[in-house]
Amino acid sequence: MTCTVPVSCPMDCFDLCRFQVTVTNNRITGITGDSDHPLTKGVICSKGRDLLHRHFHPERLQYPMIRRKSGFVRTTYSEVLDSIAGTLTAVHDQWGPTGVLNYTSDGYGGMKSRIPSIFFNCLGGDTRFSGSLCWAAGIAAQTFDFGNIQGHLPEDVANSDLVIVWGRNPKATSLHFYTLLKQAEKNNTRIIVIDPVQSDTAKSLGTYLAVKPGTDAALALALAHVIVKENRYDRSFVQDHVLGFDRFCKYLDRFDPETAAMITGISSKIIRELAREYAAARAPGIWMGYGLQRYANGGNTVRCIDALAAVCGHVGKPGTGANYAARSLAPLLNRPEKNSLVHVTASRTFPAPMLGHFLQTVDNPPIAAAFVTGGNPLNQSPDLATVVSGFGRIPFKVVFDHFLTDTARHADMVLPAATVFEQEDIFATSMYSHVLNYSQKAVDPPDTLMPESVFFLALAKHMGIATLGFSSSREYLAQCAAPLLENLGKDPDTDLDTLAGEYLRIPGDDISWADKKFATPSQKIEIFSRRAQAVGQSPLPRFMAPSQGEECFPLRLLTCKTQHSMHSQGFVFEDREPAVSVNRKTAQDLGITALEKVCISTRQGEVIARLTLDEAVCDNTAFMHQGWWHKSGAVNFLTHAGMSDMGEQAAFYDTFCTLSTPPGARSGFGK
């Protein structure tokens, strides 16, 4: 028997594709993109196609394992449930709920990924991270400025006459948005790409402006300076919808184009031209990436760009906006998790970038047990040597995953996770797609595998916890969907299967802030934010000079995402060494031009990498893709555990390194 089943891509990605999966006798025989998807229109990227490779891979975990002296051995779920229940009871008796670390991340993007946290809430609480390794500085910034996080529907770029792609590489990370940009350019929309690296997007779209790393805020302020000094700002919009304009203008006096040119590396002439062009455009849209806020000054960078859009009145109209993320659907889907908070009696948090430091120093209570779901923190966290050492101090560690990841290899118990094809779920991304994907189960999981959602329901029953609020994952998903259905005027009890043929979105969110009623206390865009001031931040967006290297570590290390993997997931199949790219001048200054491999050194550690000479990389900068596993040389053995100015965001890009000849290296030419 053959059928076709709609299945969502599970990755925490901008585009949130949905597939049409062909199934014959409980086996997947084909996968294509869903041509009815309003954004992706049937096109899926290589990461999506690789999901089948992962699903069928012979090294995929199929049964629970427990660590013995000889290594991991197969065990049963009966033993697992007894062991975990006994350990949790003992930890709670001795240390209370915060003796348990619940590390739940977004490696799997479905709503079921929240069930572990609901379980721990109902158990009384836990220790978990706050902030983010990904986007939190920008989220905090736009919350200060607009009061909430909203973004335009991606197709809105068709309404723009000018698009600024700022610190973003959609050709690698958002294929469908890149396609929309290419179409807009064909229709005479002008595209400007601002980035320290001439990315694939910068090479193939519009005009490229090479900004020095970490100086984007100075560029935004200089553009605003020109616009205000030349009286090109939108006086009516500012008067009605902006708070703090006069104070901001005084601050702008410091950022004339000549001063900004010395900071940013972009000439004063180009700064003036871009400022005039942006102010005069009918509908210019700014689309920011997450890289520009992965510095110690990242939050203020986003606030400066928000302020630029605000003073020109380029907010709330088709084709415009300071687009960073789009929390349209997600806040309506988490009712069960919110309800579970009433059962929390004790909780503790630590900043996500500081996991290693936290595990090394935590006390009163210590972390006596850890559970990792949807994440690979021993690969993705900065200052990995400290993280690995701290993780080793935890007496009992449980990891759920598809493969024996870097984190799973350090666990005491490894439980196999179901793939997206083996369970139904609801998916929504807060990155920029406004579309809900309901994903049906295509095939049954192996008899030896219990999906995470089913496992935590079984564990709750085993421990006598009756407060989850649902008795099956199906009931849980129905509760998640109900508020969204109510918002759309639908019956909240609508059967989930009817959503398989729909793409739900909230039409009023297609153009963010169209009603000009901002979610701040003043209901205006708050360039001057008292809420920021109240938590020790500058009330005005400001430029903070980026950190600098030192004589022994002169190169800034940029560790960006690759087109071929969502973080570390795709690197399960890679055994070679990572690559590092520098331009020829930087290589000559270091005397490494003729090397095939180099040793990358930072204050945190060393990694051997293949050397590539690439003029797309700016001076005094080394570029690597993040996600490589320990077996190859994980880049986060190099990064330091710094934080951004707001949001408890990892400042990955404030790591500095040097490149040198590795032991036993042979001469060649970087290619």
Side-chain angles (χ1 to χ4, degrees):
M1 177 181 175
T2 299
C3 62
T4 302
V5 181
V7 175
S8 177
C9 182
M11 288 181 280
D12 189 28
C13 175
F14 284 100
D15 296 17
L16 195 64
C17 299
R18 190 156 76 177
F19 316 128
Q20 291 296 330
V21 177
T22 303
V23 179
T24 302
N25 298 327
N26 198 44
R27 182 174 177 83
I28 299 172
T29 57
I31 181 173
T32 61
D34 186 349
S35 59
D36 292 330
H37 192 290
L39 172 61
T40 65
K41 303 186 188 305
V43 178
I44 57 177
C45 72
S46 60
K47 296 188 287 287
R49 291 191 295 270
D50 283 346
L51 288 170
L52 267 190
H53 184 37
R54 294 173 61 85
H55 176 81
F56 286 119
H57 198 276
E59 294 179 16
R60 184 189 159 198
L61 302 178
Q62 299 280 339
Y63 46 79
M65 298 187 297
I66 191 168
R67 186 184 294 279
R68 305 295 189 199
K69 289 183 179 179
S70 60
F72 285 115
V73 298
R74 184 170 177 171
T75 187
T76 66
Y77 278 104
S78 177
E79 181 181 359
V80 167
L81 289 168
D82 284 343
S83 177
I84 291 178
T87 298
L88 285 174
T89 298
V91 171
H92 274 240
D93 288 346
Q94 183 174 5
W95 302 111
T98 56
V100 178
L101 171 63
N102 165 29
Y103 194 102
T104 298
S105 194
D106 296 315
Y108 172 85
M111 293 308 302
K112 283 185 178 178
S113 66
R114 307 313 305 165
I115 290 179
S117 292
I118 293 172
F119 168 84
F120 286 111
N121 286 345
C122 293
L123 193 61
D126 55 31
T127 294
R128 61 183 67 174
F129 68 80
S130 54
S132 172
L133 300 178
C134 183
W135 68 342
I139 295 294
Q142 292 214 318
T143 301
F144 289 140
D145 294 337
F146 302 114
N148 199 356
I149 314 303
Q150 294 189 19
H152 290 227
L153 194 70
E155 287 93 331
D156 185 53
V157 296
N159 296 316
S160 301
D161 57 341
L162 170 67
V163 173
I164 300 177
V165 181
W166 205 323
R168 186 168 179 167
N169 184 14
K171 190 170 184 180
T173 62
S174 183
L175 174 63
H176 305 92
F177 187 55
Y178 174 75
T179 302
L180 291 170
L181 290 170
K182 289 291 286 186
Q183 185 59 51
E185 188 174 49
K186 287 181 182 178
N187 293 333
N188 297 318
T189 297
R190 178 153 150 75
I191 312 288
I192 296 172
V193 181
I194 301 174
D195 203 299
V197 174
Q198 192 175 14
S199 65
D200 290 341
T201 301
K203 291 174 183 175
S204 56
L205 279 177
T207 300
Y208 169 56
L209 299 183
V211 65
K212 290 181 181 179
T215 67
D216 304 82
L219 175 58
L221 292 169
L223 296 174
H225 172 99
V226 173
I227 289 164
V228 170
K229 290 296 183 183
E230 296 183 358
N231 200 28
R232 298 174 185 269
Y233 66 96
D234 188 327
R235 188 178 300 273
S236 176
F237 184 90
V238 165
Q239 181 175 333
D240 294 339
H241 303 297
V242 175
L243 180 69
F245 176 72
D246 291 339
R247 300 188 198 210
F248 183 57
C249 289
K250 292 179 181 178
Y251 183 63
L252 289 179
D253 287 341
R254 310 177 193 182
F255 293 94
D256 59 86
E258 286 70 29
T259 299
M262 291 187 290
I263 296 171
T264 66
I266 296 175
S267 73
S268 59
K269 178 177 182 291
I270 290 176
I271 290 173
R272 285 191 170 87
E273 289 174 350
L274 178 56
R276 293 162 185 164
E277 185 176 8
Y278 179 72
R282 171 186 53 80
I286 297 174
W287 294 80
M288 290 175 266
Y290 298 155
L292 57 78
Q293 48 94 64
R294 290 181 180 145
Y295 301 85
N297 61 12
N300 272 286
T301 293
V302 174
R303 290 202 68 201
C304 289
I305 296 172
D306 290 348
L308 169 64
V311 299
C312 292
H314 293 325
V315 177
K317 297 176 290 188
T320 66
N323 298 285
Y324 177 77
R327 283 186 169 173
S328 178
L329 300 177
L332 294 169
L333 297 172
N334 61 0
R335 180 185 288 175
E337 186 173 10
K338 286 182 178 179
N339 291 343
S340 71
L341 294 173
V342 300
H343 304 292
V344 174
T345 59
S347 63
R348 175 173 59 182
T349 62
F350 63 92
M354 306 304 294
L355 174 61
H357 174 77
F358 173 76
L359 293 178
Q360 292 278 20
T361 59
V362 61
D363 196 11
N364 194 31
I367 296 298
F371 292 76
V372 179
T373 60
N376 190 7
L378 270 64
N379 177 283
Q380 290 292 288
S381 302
D383 192 11
L384 268 187
T386 304
V387 175
V388 171
S389 175
F391 199 69
R393 298 178 66 213
I394 303 172
F396 183 74
K397 303 172 287 291
V398 181
V399 174
F400 296 78
D401 217 304
H402 298 132
F403 294 91
L404 205 58
T405 63
D406 293 330
T407 305
R409 290 180 186 277
H410 289 79
D412 300 291
M413 190 176 287
V414 179
L415 304 183
T419 69
V420 69
F421 306 109
E422 296 166 342
Q423 55 190 328
E424 66 174 340
D425 211 335
I426 293 173
F427 292 83
T429 175
S430 292
M431 291 183 177
Y432 87 139
S433 175
H434 296 183
V435 178
L436 184 82
N437 284 0
Y438 170 62
S439 182
Q440 291 186 319
K441 185 172 77 168
V443 295
D444 295 323
D447 293 339
T448 56
L449 184 154
M450 187 182 295
E452 289 149 287
S453 58
V454 177
F455 177 83
F456 279 98
L457 282 164
L459 183 59
K461 183 177 180 180
H462 197 74
M463 297 183 68
I465 300 171
T467 54
L468 294 183
F470 47 89
S471 58
S472 69
S473 58
R474 178 81 171 190
E475 182 182 1
Y476 164 74
L477 292 178
Q479 291 180 13
C480 290
L484 175 60
L485 294 171
E486 291 171 0
N487 182 281
L488 295 173
K490 295 178 176 286
D491 183 352
D493 296 324
T494 298
D495 187 85
L496 292 176
D497 288 327
T498 65
L499 303 182
E502 295 190 60
Y503 285 104
L504 299 182
R505 76 174 198 260
I506 301 171
D509 290 348
D510 288 357
I511 306 299
S512 60
W513 311 116
D515 61 1
K516 309 299 188 297
K517 293 181 180 178
F518 300 95
T520 57
S522 65
Q523 292 194 312
K524 296 183 177 183
I525 301 172
E526 295 193 351
I527 295 180
F528 185 92
S529 170
R530 295 199 181 278
R531 288 198 295 181
Q533 189 175 39
V535 295
Q537 298 288 339
S538 167
L540 287 171
R542 63 192 181 104
F543 171 66
M544 301 164 56
S547 56
Q548 300 295 321
E550 49 193 311
E551 185 175 355
C552 54
F553 301 113
L555 308 184
R556 185 182 298 276
L557 179 62
L558 299 181
T559 52
C560 303
K561 290 172 65 174
T562 172
Q563 182 175 355
H564 305 294
S565 177
M566 181 61 66
H567 302 299
S568 66
Q569 291 171 327
F571 287 91
V572 61
F573 311 123
E574 287 278 7
D575 292 313
R576 57 182 178 154
E577 293 153 327
V580 61
S581 300
V582 296
N583 66 28
R584 187 170 292 275
K585 178 181 180 302
T586 299
Q588 289 172 342
D589 290 345
L590 293 172
I592 59 170
T593 307
L595 296 179
E596 287 188 343
K597 294 181 181 179
V598 292
C599 178
I600 310 171
S601 305
T602 70
R603 289 200 172 276
Q604 285 66 48
E606 296 182 348
V607 167
I608 304 299
R610 295 169 284 123
L611 176 64
T612 300
L613 301 182
D614 188 349
E615 297 311 304
V617 181
C618 55
D619 291 344
N620 303 314
T621 300
F623 177 93
M624 297 182 73
H625 286 125
Q626 59 97 348
W628 296 87
W629 286 27
H630 294 190
K631 61 185 178 182
S632 299
V635 300
N636 283 318
F637 280 117
L638 301 171
T639 55
H640 87 123
M643 283 201 298
S644 59
D645 46 358
M646 59 188 73
E648 297 180 320
Q649 160 70 41
F652 285 112
Y653 297 172
D654 280 339
T655 296
F656 292 88
C657 70
T658 192
L659 310 184
S660 60
T661 305
R666 66 189 182 93
S667 294
F669 292 96
K671 298 180 180 178

